[in-house]
Amino acid sequence: MRQFFSMLFKNPLTTFAFFTLITLIFLVMITPWLGLEDPNVINTGNKYLPAFSDNHILGTDHLGRDLFSRLMWGTQLSLAVGVSASLFAAFFGSLIGILSGYFGRRVDNILMRGIDMLMAFPYILLALAIVAVLGPGLINALVAVVVVNVPFFARNIRGVTVGIAHKEFVDAARLAGMSHFKIIVFEILPNVLPIIIVAMSTTVGWMILETAGLSFLGLGSQPPQADLGSMLGQARNSLISHPHVSVIPGLMIFLIVICVNLLGDGLRDALDPRLKSGALSRPAAATKVQVDENEKKSYQHNQDALLSIVGLQTRFNISHRTYKASNDVSFHIKPGECLGLVGESGSGKSVTALSIMGLIPSPPGVITGGSIQLDGEELIGMPYERLRELRGDKVAYIFQDPLSTLHPLFKVGDQLIEAVQVHHPISRAEARAKAIELMEEVHIPNPVDRLDSFPHEFSGGMRQRIAIAMALINNPSLIIADEPTTALDVTVQGQVLSILDQLRRERGVSILFITHDFGVVSQLCDRVIVMYAGKIVEEGATNDVLESPLHPYTKRLIQCVPKLGRGKTALHAIDGLPPLTCDLPPGCSFAPRCHKASENCTRVEPTNQIVVDRLVKCHEPEGVE
Ligand code: ADP
Ligand code: MG
């Protein structure tokens, strides 16, 4: 709740709107006790008194009625009618939306066609027609405004409900034998409530305007009763001669509606949890870079490497914290080499991989240091156009879940063809031939027919092979595979790994292979680097690292891999949790979980040590005396 209010008040406009509205509401609530003159008492002798006259602070209207008193009573009425109209519209609209979204089929058809009929009429005409049928009067105006606004809520909420009604937790509730009523109230409603509130907050202003509009036309509140619309309507004859009579209610309507809308916007921002992480502010096309140019030039790169990263710093600035997700990361990949990047979930593997092509969303991500060279070309701070040329062409990515990386509505063939045509001006037929060839290469049976299938028609393993084919289609020099087999079962994982291995040998492409599983590393990678809390803690040839890990963390990770045929050995897990990268301990980040940690480890951060041709960041490496 506190977080909600701090989000709400972060925006000065929202704060202004909130307090203005609170003050207004308070004032209209205490109006009966303010001892104001009766708003309806006519005194034609006093008509059109200007503002600041004796006893009439805002002056009087054409019948000599006190404008301040009428304004307060009128605001009260307009607010009450506007808010109740939106409550009713939200209630009936959401009810219709939830019912038709939840039950679907015939219920949906009947309700939605009814809503369509309402929507077929021009909005204001419909309201006028309803009042014409019911007769003028405030309550009838309210009914008209509610009726014309119901479709807005019904449509919105139906859409959201359809999305929720088939989620697993609703199925689970159904399986547990809950009644429809209970499912709607306890499962569906809490999920659509924020949307109802947001929709309401953005329409209240609108409805106040509509009721004022109807009153202005004489169809809403009837004389002598004052509401803002009717005050404005009655003042229009004296608009030129006595402007204050119309300007005063006009300003009040303006103030209320603008405050309601500002507050509605603020409310929407505060209620949407995605905004907290900055996800809705559209990220830039490339990660923000704040690197000192001179520092960047001073880095020494490995000249034989295809990809060389030195001192990479990628940070996330979230509220007041800075998460150092990649913290002084350096490594290189040689042409044709497969490098494994291993670490627990959250250790910064994906961030490092995405930093290479500037794919970290900014905000909140920023690259604050380091240098990345691909074939001698500096990638950090590279112009966006050039970066785009490289993405998917020279450097390709394969992600964990191919179902979310392939577009669900396009055939895989078209997606493969598009991937080529984005980068190379070749004909569709040529691109298609290339796609077929690659599908064969990744062992998809019957590729010509399969080109016309949609992603959901493939199994998980097949989809991942399509993703591999897509990565390969532009003959990249580097493939970055981010846990490509984590979502697959073991046999399919084996097949995918062997395809990757075969392709690497045949085509000489380099692979940065990210995984949390040392078992997978041993099948594919030549060399491996181990990452912990944003830093690289060990590097070496795969066999060496597997046989004699130097860092206690690596050793524990390897012990976590179950081995077949080893009898009943206990399966290890690493106790404790990795530290938050915004709040790293002063010494070694792993010290709190390390069985060997000495006092030195908790105070002094270890630097890189070279042990034969391997590298480790530890004060007390394993197996070294
Ligand atoms: P993994 O090693 O499992 O791939 P990641 O590289 O995805 O881990 O994440 C490393 C850390 O970076 C996470 O613990 C998280 O704190 C932070 N992080 C990653 N992506 C974002 C993001 N978009 N916004 C904020 N923080 C992020
Ligand atoms: Mg990851």
Side-chain angles (χ1 to χ4, degrees):
M1 200 63 193
R2 253 182 56 204
Q3 202 186 4
F4 170 78
F5 278 108
S6 75
M7 282 289 286
L8 196 64
F9 294 137
K10 228 159 73 184
N11 184 341
L13 285 174
T14 312
T15 317
F16 163 78
F18 180 80
F19 286 106
T20 314
L21 279 178
I22 290 284
T23 318
L24 268 179
I25 290 171
F26 176 73
L27 282 180
V28 299
M29 300 256 273
I30 60 163
T31 300
W33 295 279
L34 282 183
L36 294 177
E37 202 172 295
D38 185 331
N40 300 331
V41 164
I42 297 175
N43 180 356
T44 34
N46 269 349
K47 70 177 182 181
Y48 292 134
L49 283 186
F52 305 112
S53 319
D54 288 344
N55 296 331
H56 301 290
I57 176 120
L58 291 179
T60 55
D61 68 359
H62 63 295
L63 296 176
R65 296 175 291 196
D66 181 51
L67 266 181
F68 182 64
S69 171
R70 282 185 78 73
L71 184 73
M72 294 319 285
W73 287 100
T75 307
Q76 188 187 50
L77 195 61
S78 287
L79 274 178
V81 173
V83 172
S84 25
S86 86
L87 281 175
F88 281 120
F91 178 78
F92 290 112
S94 308
L95 187 68
I96 293 174
I98 289 178
L99 290 181
S100 72
Y102 177 75
F103 288 107
R105 297 169 190 238
R106 195 175 300 158
V107 178
D108 186 33
N109 245 328
I110 293 174
L111 288 175
M112 279 303 125
R113 294 305 80 79
I115 293 295
D116 286 348
M117 275 196 288
L118 282 184
M119 290 176 89
F121 293 101
Y123 190 77
I124 285 295
L125 278 189
L126 182 62
L128 288 176
I130 294 172
V131 185
V133 172
L134 298 178
L138 200 55
I139 298 298
N140 295 344
L142 190 139
V143 172
V145 172
V146 170
V147 170
V148 297
N149 278 292
V150 159
F152 170 77
F153 283 96
R155 279 269 166 208
N156 259 343
I157 301 304
R158 174 189 174 271
V160 182
T161 312
V162 167
I164 296 172
H166 301 288
K167 286 251 163 81
E168 286 78 359
F169 66 90
V170 178
D171 289 342
R174 218 171 268 148
L175 286 176
M178 272 166 98
S179 65
H180 288 311
F181 177 76
K182 272 195 164 167
I183 294 180
I184 288 179
V185 174
F186 296 111
E187 310 288 330
I188 308 269
L189 190 62
N191 283 292
V192 296
L193 203 57
I195 293 150
I196 299 179
I197 293 176
V198 168
M200 235 173 81
S201 68
T202 48
T203 46
V204 172
W206 204 356
M207 301 209 196
I208 292 176
L209 277 184
E210 282 159 12
T211 18
L214 289 176
S215 291
F216 178 85
L217 296 175
L219 299 171
S221 83
Q222 296 301 307
Q225 194 181 36
D227 85 339
L228 294 174
S230 63
M231 284 174 73
L232 207 57
Q234 288 160 13
R236 84 194 134 177
N237 294 333
S238 53
L239 190 63
I240 308 290
S241 55
H242 303 285
H244 72 280
V245 184
S246 45
V247 165
I248 289 166
L251 278 180
M252 185 55 103
I253 294 178
F254 174 77
L255 187 70
I256 292 176
V257 172
I258 203 138
C259 285
V260 166
N261 287 349
L262 285 174
L263 184 65
D265 279 358
L267 216 58
R268 185 196 55 206
D269 294 356
L271 276 177
D272 195 327
R274 283 173 299 172
L275 282 165
K276 291 196 189 99
S277 61
L280 266 195
S281 50
R282 208 169 76 89
T287 312
K288 194 165 144 200
V289 174
Q290 287 173 339
V291 182
D292 184 1
E293 282 301 313
N294 295 327
E295 196 186 302
K296 196 158 84 183
K297 292 207 181 77
S298 70
Y299 290 115
Q300 292 292 316
H301 283 279
N302 185 324
Q303 295 308 322
D304 314 329
L306 170 76
L307 175 82
S308 163
I309 301 184
V310 186
L312 174 70
Q313 304 266 8
T314 306
R315 307 202 160 157
F316 292 97
N317 297 323
I318 295 172
S319 48
H320 304 293
R321 298 215 176 83
T322 301
Y323 293 84
K324 298 178 181 170
S326 278
N327 198 350
D328 195 13
V329 168
S330 307
F331 62 88
H332 68 272
I333 304 178
K334 298 209 184 80
E337 187 181 37
C338 177
L339 177 71
L341 173 53
V342 192
E344 273 168 292
S345 174
S347 50
K349 307 180 299 285
S350 300
V351 170
T352 304
L354 292 172
S355 299
I356 297 172
M357 279 286 110
L359 290 170
I360 298 285
S362 297
V366 194
I367 294 182
T368 56
S371 166
I372 304 179
Q373 285 193 356
L374 179 74
D375 252 347
E377 190 176 3
E378 178 63 53
L379 297 182
I380 292 184
M382 161 182 273
Y384 172 62
E385 278 310 314
R386 176 69 187 135
L387 201 58
R388 223 189 71 182
E389 276 171 34
L390 291 178
R391 284 181 185 171
D393 191 31
K394 201 162 170 185
V395 181
Y397 281 85
I398 305 171
F399 292 102
Q400 177 174 340
D401 182 5
L403 195 56
S404 54
T405 41
L406 292 172
H407 196 301
L409 300 183
F410 290 106
K411 293 171 183 164
V412 294
D414 291 339
Q415 299 189 50
L416 284 166
I417 291 167
E418 187 194 17
V420 195
Q421 286 186 327
V422 165
H423 291 287
H424 302 281
I426 62 172
S427 72
R428 204 180 147 81
E430 274 175 280
R432 193 178 158 88
K434 204 163 172 175
I436 293 175
E437 187 190 317
L438 270 167
M439 301 232 320
E440 256 164 17
E441 220 173 314
V442 294
H443 304 294
I444 291 196
N446 207 354
V448 181
D449 290 342
R450 291 307 252 166
L451 273 187
D452 292 323
S453 307
F454 288 96
H456 67 263
E457 295 171 302
F458 290 87
S459 68
M462 294 276 238
R463 272 198 294 266
Q464 197 56 295
R465 283 185 228 175
I466 302 274
I468 294 174
M470 193 178 273
L472 285 170
I473 204 154
N474 289 312
N475 287 324
S477 356
L478 174 66
I479 292 184
I480 298 174
D482 192 347
E483 313 224 19
T485 57
T486 304
L488 307 176
D489 60 59
V490 185
T491 42
V492 179
Q493 166 172 315
Q495 292 164 8
V496 169
L497 288 179
S498 76
I499 288 175
L500 274 175
D501 198 42
Q502 182 193 350
L503 291 170
R504 170 169 82 98
R505 294 190 198 289
E506 284 169 7
R507 293 169 165 253
V509 34
S510 309
I511 301 181
L512 174 60
F513 192 92
I514 299 175
T515 174
H516 57 260
D517 183 353
F518 257 106
V520 174
V521 170
S522 62
Q523 291 178 45
L524 189 67
C525 303
D526 307 312
R527 212 152 45 85
V528 54
I529 50 182
V530 182
M531 203 162 174
Y532 184 74
K535 292 179 199 152
I536 292 193
V537 294
E538 174 157 7
E539 177 188 339
T542 306
N543 286 339
D544 296 350
V545 173
L546 281 172
E547 261 165 38
S548 58
L550 291 175
H551 201 286
Y553 176 59
T554 318
K555 187 171 174 184
R556 303 284 282 277
L557 270 185
I558 294 172
Q559 284 172 345
C560 292
V561 181
K563 288 195 185 67
L564 277 181
R566 280 274 178 93
K568 283 189 194 164
T569 46
L571 205 52
H572 295 263
I574 310 181
D575 294 331
L577 290 172
L580 283 177
T581 50
C582 61
D583 190 18
L584 289 175
C588 171
S589 307
F590 188 60
R593 299 168 77 187
C594 183
H595 63 290
K596 292 179 83 177
S598 63
E599 210 210 316
N600 190 29
C601 296
T602 55
R603 274 189 296 111
V604 185
E605 194 181 339
T607 49
N608 283 337
Q609 278 193 56
I610 306 220
V611 179
V612 197
D613 49 358
R614 295 169 58 185
L615 201 140
V616 65
K617 215 177 247 150
C618 181
H619 290 303
E620 322 228 350
E622 302 274 346
V624 178
E625 296 309 319

